[in-house]
Amino acid sequence: MPAELTFVAPRRARPPRHLADLGPEECRAVVTELGEKPFRARQLAQHYFGRLESDTARMTDLPASARERLGEALLPRLLTPVKHVTCDNGMTRKTLWRAFDGVLFESVLMRYPDRVTLCVSSQAGCGMNCPFCATGQAGLTRNLSTGEIVDQVVSVARDLARGEVAGGPGRISNIVFMGMGEPLANYRRVLEAVRRITDPVPSGLGISQRGVTVSTVGLVPAIEKLIAERLQVRLAVSLHAPDDELRDELVPVNNRWKIAEVLDAAWRYADTTGRRVSVEYALIRDINDQAWRADLLGRLLAGRLAHVNLIPLNPTPGSKWTASRPEDEREFVRRLQARGVSVTVRDTRGQEIDGACGQLAATGA
């Protein structure tokens, strides 16, 4: 009898180790292992986080004999920009990135008069399978490393500082984890990325925690873990329906954690941090934009530390759904306001370049 055949899936190669993957102590340990003085780790971090420099050949305060070795060990090239696509007179820019293994993902930079926001990806693709979202329909390829998440921010911040984005030199003020992927499904790496983004230079980029938003479709255990971190980042919950029957269809993870459980966790986050929870709600014509659903949502949120972000559904290829009628959108807003719920309709930035909410698909390389 022939031996039974077994199939072992090949192990996916990991992204190369990067300074952004490491805390200060870990970075010092690597530098020491390379035979360099521990303070070289701080010098590298000062260049990367403080001066937005990744090329050790330009770090003239490092010994010439050590630059290449330190660069290979701690500042390998993680991301290559494949292309930039712009709209809004260049004030909105979508970047398609290629990782070391050829995986593609996207980020979106949005310049406003009072702030500069970067929407970053935490995964290549997404495994949440929300049927109205182009990213969800593509499925999950893999998690991004901490370094790959942070390097999106550093690379875009460098372009801004050098005046390579319309509007002249500038700085990123806000980071939103609302690009490709479910951030809390890549919890450890996202949390480490938040720390690198918000820790002061040279340990991080020094962006205020209050300028960072982490979104989730409602992974309750991960929200509980985030509560325990006692950070000051904003939590955004992608709700999209006020009743479990519809949300089971629109956000399949609702079959595991129902609306009541998700919102209970969100309110605990708000109570612990004092930060208002952002409730994301994509308005879909004749699906979730009925007046009675606005009333139900209003009852769920009334008196809570919450703000509703209504998002006119952005078109995606082959989708059977579309944005709500303007009059239905206005009535939805009116009914929420009548119950004392804070609400705004999100600016659909980047729609022309498939860079708006729910449109990121990393295609067209």
Side-chain angles (χ1 to χ4, degrees):
M1 179 180 292
E4 183 178 350
L5 296 177
T6 59
F7 174 75
V8 178
R11 294 184 65 181
R12 183 180 293 276
R14 293 182 179 181
R17 178 186 61 191
H18 192 277
L19 181 150
D21 293 311
L22 308 174
E25 289 294 334
E26 296 170 304
C27 191
R28 279 193 288 272
V30 172
V31 168
T32 302
E33 288 170 10
L34 292 172
E36 296 295 328
K37 300 292 185 182
F39 71 86
R40 299 294 182 202
R42 182 181 177 88
Q43 288 179 299
L44 281 171
Q46 182 68 48
H47 281 289
Y48 182 71
F49 290 118
R51 300 187 179 95
L52 308 174
E53 181 58 71
S54 298
D55 184 357
T56 53
R58 298 177 181 169
M59 301 178 187
T60 55
D61 56 345
L62 298 176
S65 59
R67 290 174 198 167
E68 184 176 353
R69 186 168 68 254
L70 288 170
E72 289 176 352
L74 286 166
L75 289 173
R77 171 160 238 173
L78 291 180
L79 307 180
T80 301
V82 177
K83 66 176 180 178
H84 303 299
V85 187
T86 65
C87 62
D88 303 316
N89 296 317
M91 296 299 181
T92 300
R93 188 183 80 163
K94 181 175 76 169
T95 301
L96 178 65
W97 303 100
R98 178 179 287 114
F100 79 105
D101 55 357
V103 163
L104 300 173
F105 55 92
E106 295 173 320
S107 63
V108 183
L109 176 69
M110 295 160 284
R111 297 192 79 158
Y112 299 92
D114 61 339
R115 67 192 186 281
V116 179
T117 298
L118 180 64
C119 179
V120 299
S121 291
S122 55
Q123 297 178 311
C126 182
M128 297 297 105
N129 200 33
C130 298
F132 57 91
C133 174
T135 312
Q137 290 307 290
L140 175 65
T141 301
R142 68 169 173 85
N143 288 328
L144 300 185
S145 69
T146 299
E148 289 172 323
I149 297 170
V150 174
D151 209 42
Q152 293 171 65
V153 184
V154 171
S155 297
V156 174
R158 181 187 304 124
D159 288 351
L160 269 170
R162 294 176 178 174
E164 295 175 5
V165 178
R171 298 182 65 180
I172 296 171
S173 58
N174 296 78
I175 301 291
V176 293
F177 283 82
M178 294 182 177
M180 301 179 77
E182 160 57 48
L184 295 191
N186 190 16
Y187 183 88
R188 180 179 62 82
R189 297 173 187 88
V190 165
L191 181 66
E192 290 174 352
V194 168
R195 297 198 185 282
R196 305 290 181 273
I197 289 165
T198 61
D199 281 351
V201 177
S203 299
L205 287 164
I207 296 172
S208 169
Q209 286 189 10
R210 299 181 73 84
V212 176
T213 298
V214 176
S215 69
T216 181
V217 293
L219 307 189
V220 171
I223 296 174
E224 298 289 356
K225 289 172 67 176
L226 194 60
I227 291 169
E229 305 289 349
R230 296 190 174 269
L231 300 173
Q232 279 292 297
V233 302
R234 185 184 300 281
L235 177 69
V237 175
S238 297
L239 198 65
H240 305 311
D243 55 302
D244 284 319
E245 182 179 7
L246 178 59
R247 195 168 192 263
D248 284 348
E249 177 185 355
L250 296 182
V251 186
V253 77
N254 199 70
N255 290 281
R256 174 63 182 87
W257 295 288
K258 298 299 185 183
I259 290 171
E261 296 175 87
V262 173
L263 290 181
D264 281 349
W267 306 147
R268 286 193 293 277
Y269 187 87
D271 290 343
T272 300
T273 63
R275 300 298 314 275
R276 186 169 65 172
V277 171
S278 179
V279 175
E280 311 294 300
Y281 196 104
L283 280 172
I284 310 172
R285 181 182 295 187
D286 299 328
I287 299 295
N288 67 351
D289 62 352
Q290 300 90 344
W292 70 266
R293 281 198 162 96
D295 290 337
L296 177 53
L297 181 63
R299 289 197 296 273
L300 289 174
L301 305 185
R304 297 292 187 175
L305 195 60
H307 175 86
V308 177
N309 244 325
L310 292 179
I311 308 164
L313 187 72
N314 295 300
T316 57
S319 175
K320 64 180 180 179
W321 293 322
T322 189
S324 298
R325 303 171 190 87
E327 60 269 25
D328 293 335
E329 179 186 290
R330 289 192 295 269
E331 180 65 9
F332 207 96
V333 170
R334 188 191 70 79
R335 286 176 179 261
L336 289 176
Q337 291 176 333
R339 294 185 178 273
V341 176
S342 172
V343 56
T344 54
V345 178
R346 182 183 290 177
D347 176 18
T348 54
R349 277 285 194 103
Q351 191 178 94
E352 308 95 302
I353 56 173
D354 292 334
C357 182
Q359 291 185 314
L360 299 185
T363 56

